[in-house]
Amino acid sequence: MREDRGRFARLRDQRVLLYWPHGLGDWVHLGVLAPLLEPSNRYAVTRAGDDYVAMLEGQTLLQPLYGGTLVPSDRLHGEPAHWGLRQASLRGAPVTAQLSPDFEPAVRAFDPTDLLWTDYPETEGRSAYPYHTKMRNLARLLVDPNRLGQFDLSQPLPNTLDFATTVEVRRSVEERLAAFAPPGTRVAIISRAGVTAPRKNWETAQAERFVRELHRYDSRWRTVSMDGDDFEATAGYRELLGDLRIPFAATFKALLQRSELMIGVPAGPLHVAMASNAVAVVGIWRAHHPDWYDEPNARAAHLVGNIVRDRKFHLRPATTTKPPSLQHRLSYVDTDEIPADAALQAAIDLVG
């Protein structure tokens, strides 16, 4: 099935496999969708590559299915991309999936009766409250209206993912951090670049200046760069943790538990931090608007650049129709680029 034909919302008492070949942020937002889904069905979720599937560890509403390969892709080994399925042809009829030998046991054990592959439609602010975010709009398509009416959509929807990790994962991450960020230091995570839209990236010079000024403000700060930057008092995530044979989602959860601050553009790491409530968050928004994606977080502040207002993104229905209960804490700056000093002040206001 696809999300746009109405069939999915009518399923009852079925075993439903969600095929989810999407980015990390979209896996995070599954934690908002999960409790809204029809409870008489059982749900499993998977994709080729376990790095993101591990985001579902610890919660009970969605069963993660693993293929045994960490890095996400469209396939595991030699099987056809997306199991030989074509999304455009999914119209509710039976389908044959061509699974790799690594995947077949897990899928057969779950024994799905139905499969959903959604293209996870982008709203880009054009959907009005209460379906103003990307995930809320998808819920409107997948959840029976009578059931959806049972939830108070005027309040922030909780994320039901478990952001804790096992003792073994925490120990592995702490051992890698020991020399770089020993006890007594403060850890910040910076994610200045995404993969879907380069125009949303934070200028390297401003990010480097932010890190330098943060360290000057308090020399205890150590920064972990998701982009491998060689800034002052900074280590790259991959250099620290990339060779651990542990899914990325698990090591990143453990890093969040050791950190105080996350600053970044709208990409997977920022969405994880927003949903976790584990750290203070400074969002850097150059080409998108926070109203399009995440539920509000009391520990988050967002800085929005001139381009967003020049294109009148802040006047789209996602922003103008929301009640105060769903407003983000945000500030508009008068430049296209987000200046380092504005980011530093936002971080100090949040964490001191």
Side-chain angles (χ1 to χ4, degrees):
M1 300 181 179
R2 288 158 45 176
E3 83 286 345
D4 57 352
R5 303 301 174 91
R7 298 185 182 96
F8 186 85
R10 296 195 291 271
L11 290 178
R12 301 291 186 275
D13 302 307
Q14 302 301 309
R15 296 181 303 280
V16 182
L17 178 59
L18 308 183
Y19 177 66
W20 208 253
H22 305 303
L24 178 61
D26 299 333
W27 279 82
V28 173
H29 296 150
L30 279 170
V32 174
L33 177 66
L36 307 178
L37 294 173
E38 165 57 40
S40 70
N41 299 320
R42 287 180 55 203
Y43 300 95
V45 191
T46 195
R47 67 160 297 159
D50 296 340
D51 272 347
Y52 300 165
V53 179
M55 187 57 64
L56 302 185
E57 280 294 325
Q59 53 76 52
T60 59
L61 298 175
L62 304 169
Q63 177 182 339
L65 298 186
Y66 294 103
T69 298
L70 293 181
V71 179
S73 68
D74 293 341
R75 69 191 82 198
L76 287 183
H77 302 300
E79 79 280 8
H82 303 303
W83 301 350
L85 303 173
R86 290 192 310 112
Q87 188 183 55
S89 66
L90 300 180
R91 298 184 174 90
V95 296
T96 299
Q98 302 178 54
L99 304 174
S100 75
D102 294 336
F103 246 127
E104 189 167 352
V107 176
R108 284 193 179 277
F110 180 70
D111 192 23
T113 59
D114 298 271
L115 180 144
L116 173 77
W117 178 0
T118 169
D119 64 2
Y120 202 10
E122 288 276 1
T123 62
E124 295 186 334
R126 296 183 178 89
S127 293
Y129 162 81
Y131 308 119
H132 51 282
T133 68
K134 190 177 180 184
M135 180 51 77
R136 283 174 175 243
N137 185 60
L138 182 59
R140 177 179 62 85
L141 301 175
L142 298 181
V143 182
D144 183 278
N146 292 327
R147 175 167 175 76
L148 202 52
Q150 299 173 15
F151 297 89
D152 185 358
L153 301 180
S154 70
Q155 298 300 316
L157 297 177
N159 195 302
T160 56
L161 297 186
D162 185 353
F163 291 94
T165 56
T166 66
V167 172
E168 292 76 16
V169 171
R170 289 198 302 273
R171 182 182 300 118
S172 296
V173 170
E174 288 167 0
E175 287 174 353
R176 293 299 181 88
L177 286 173
F180 170 68
T185 56
R186 309 175 73 181
V187 177
I189 305 169
I190 185 169
S191 176
R192 60 168 181 79
V195 296
T196 57
R199 64 185 180 277
K200 70 183 178 183
N201 295 350
W202 198 19
E203 187 179 70
T204 304
Q206 294 296 332
E208 183 173 15
R209 181 183 168 199
F210 167 82
V211 171
R212 184 173 64 249
E213 293 301 320
L214 180 68
H215 188 255
R216 182 175 299 174
Y217 172 77
D218 186 339
S219 61
R220 293 175 297 168
W221 281 107
R222 302 291 182 270
T223 308
V224 176
S225 168
M226 304 307 298
D227 308 292
D229 295 309
D230 185 22
F231 299 156
E232 179 182 355
T234 298
Y237 184 93
R238 291 178 182 84
E239 287 70 30
L240 281 174
L241 306 172
D243 62 341
L244 292 174
R245 295 300 297 170
I246 300 172
F248 169 81
T251 57
F252 191 70
K253 287 179 183 179
L255 178 61
L256 280 175
Q257 298 301 319
R258 172 64 177 83
S259 304
E260 293 183 51
L261 174 68
M262 163 75 204
I263 180 166
V265 300
L270 181 80
H271 297 309
V272 180
M274 281 287 293
S276 73
N277 287 311
V279 294
V281 176
V282 177
I284 303 295
W285 300 83
R286 298 188 63 249
H288 299 74
H289 198 285
D291 289 337
W292 302 356
Y293 297 102
D294 300 293
E295 299 293 307
N297 179 336
R299 301 187 66 194
H302 304 282
L303 303 176
V304 184
N306 253 352
I307 295 173
V308 175
R309 284 192 291 179
D310 289 346
R311 296 183 179 179
K312 302 188 185 311
F313 288 165
H314 65 303
L315 299 180
R316 289 186 176 177
T319 299
T320 60
T321 63
K322 282 171 49 174
S325 56
L326 293 174
Q327 298 294 333
H328 291 284
R329 182 195 305 176
L330 57 84
S331 301
Y332 293 100
V333 301
D334 294 327
T335 56
D336 292 348
E337 189 55 72
I338 306 299
D341 55 354
L344 178 65
Q345 188 58 57
I348 293 172
D349 290 345
L350 288 170
V351 299

